[in-house]
Amino acid sequence: MYCLVDIYSAVKRLRVLLGFSFEFPKGLASRSRPHDLPEIQLITLIVISTKLLFPFDDLKRYPASAKEPTTQVIDWKHWAQAQRQFDSRETARGRIGKGNEILVDERDVFHMTPSQLDEYMNWYENNWLDNSKEVAGPPDEDDEEAIGSMLRTVTQQLKPRKVITEDNSDVPRPGSSYVRYKMESDLPENARPFYETAAKVVGVSLSTLVRAVSHAEYKIMRWLEDQRRIELYGDASGIEFAKFDSSDDMGEQDMTDSDDSPSY
């Protein structure tokens, strides 16, 4: 999965805002919550940061400074094509392919070759069994070459975005018109490949990732509402701040077409 380095500053800031610790919960919760898992926390931050800085729509948003990462625009169709080529390099050689192991079910086992069974069992052992005493080997040279090729392909397709320094509220800025996808069926064509790849990287279903990201976005929306209350009343005392829980019933709350977003 290819991501621009520019998103990691946003990831660090959102981590603090959302209170993610990247630690496993110490106790057993009565309900399973995706945000309790460190890998879900991390991939959620990556997805939201990517959506803020490099959204999947065609709306033009203009940065106020040439130093902002949003001076570059990702061509998501080319990204998806490069990712498919990267993923297919292993399946073309008769392998399951990294990230596809989570999709295997009991029916697939009967049609696997011996090498595919070995590949799946190695993945299962490394991910679900105790291998704390083992030392991971270096990355496969073929993998490194394929990753480098994909990075070059995607980077070459980056497009420049005009910088508008004027302080004009009518100029759409990065992060504006942020769209929240609450269900898998809400994903547009340009966003689906990225979400699918992100879900495979951490080994969860697409619907689980969409739900986890949506819940985190809901918390950010509530945080923005609290900031507006502080600006309105001039004092945070006496204001009941929104508390977030992944089991909250979000009803019709949405961030679709919201002009409010954290500033990076």
Side-chain angles (χ1 to χ4, degrees), residues 4 53-55 57-61 63 69-76 154-155 157-162:
L4 288 175
L53 301 178
F54 308 101
D57 57 34
D58 295 324
L59 178 63
K60 293 184 178 180
R61 302 169 178 85
T70 50
T71 54
Q72 300 180 103
V73 180
I74 294 180
D75 187 323
W76 285 109
V154 175
T155 302
Q157 298 297 333
L158 291 175
K159 301 177 181 179
R161 175 69 77 213
K162 179 181 178 181

Side-chain angles (χ1 to χ4, degrees), residues 64-87:
S65 169
K67 296 181 180 180
E68 296 182 31
T70 50
T71 54
Q72 300 180 103
V73 180
I74 294 180
D75 187 323
W76 285 109
K77 290 184 178 179
H78 281 98
W79 183 94
Q81 182 179 4
Q83 186 66 49
R84 283 194 300 269
Q85 292 175 349
F86 177 80
D87 293 338

Side-chain angles (χ1 to χ4, degrees), residues 146-200:
I147 292 173
S149 176
M150 182 176 64
L151 290 176
R152 289 190 296 271
T153 299
V154 175
T155 302
Q156 290 171 358
Q157 298 297 333
L158 291 175
K159 301 177 181 179
R161 175 69 77 213
K162 179 181 178 181
V163 175
I164 299 181
T165 58
E166 293 86 355
D167 187 11
N168 188 339
S169 59
D170 294 330
V171 176
R173 295 298 186 184
S176 63
S177 299
Y178 186 94
V179 180
R180 174 172 159 232
Y181 314 119
K182 294 192 289 186
M183 297 183 294
E184 181 181 340
S185 58
D186 294 336
L187 293 173
E189 181 181 355
N190 282 349
R192 180 173 287 272
F194 183 84
Y195 268 76
E196 289 175 341
T197 301
K200 287 199 298 183

Side-chain angles (χ1 to χ4, degrees), residues 74-145:
I74 294 180
D75 187 323
W76 285 109
K77 290 184 178 179
H78 281 98
W79 183 94
Q81 182 179 4
Q83 186 66 49
R84 283 194 300 269
Q85 292 175 349
F86 177 80
D87 293 338
S88 64
R89 81 195 191 287
E90 291 185 326
T91 56
R93 293 180 293 178
R95 300 182 61 183
I96 298 175
K98 290 183 179 179
N100 293 325
E101 298 93 344
I102 193 66
L103 304 176
V104 172
D105 59 27
E106 62 275 9
R107 292 169 295 183
D108 297 325
V109 174
F110 294 103
H111 304 287
M112 286 184 177
T113 64
S115 61
Q116 288 175 334
L117 286 171
D118 289 340
E119 182 184 354
Y120 180 77
M121 294 306 297
N122 288 336
W123 171 83
Y124 187 91
E125 180 181 6
N126 291 333
N127 285 273
W128 302 107
L129 302 181
D130 182 13
N131 59 350
S132 57
K133 297 182 180 180
E134 297 182 7
V135 178
D140 188 278
E141 291 185 2
D142 290 340
D143 287 345
E144 289 187 339
E145 182 179 349

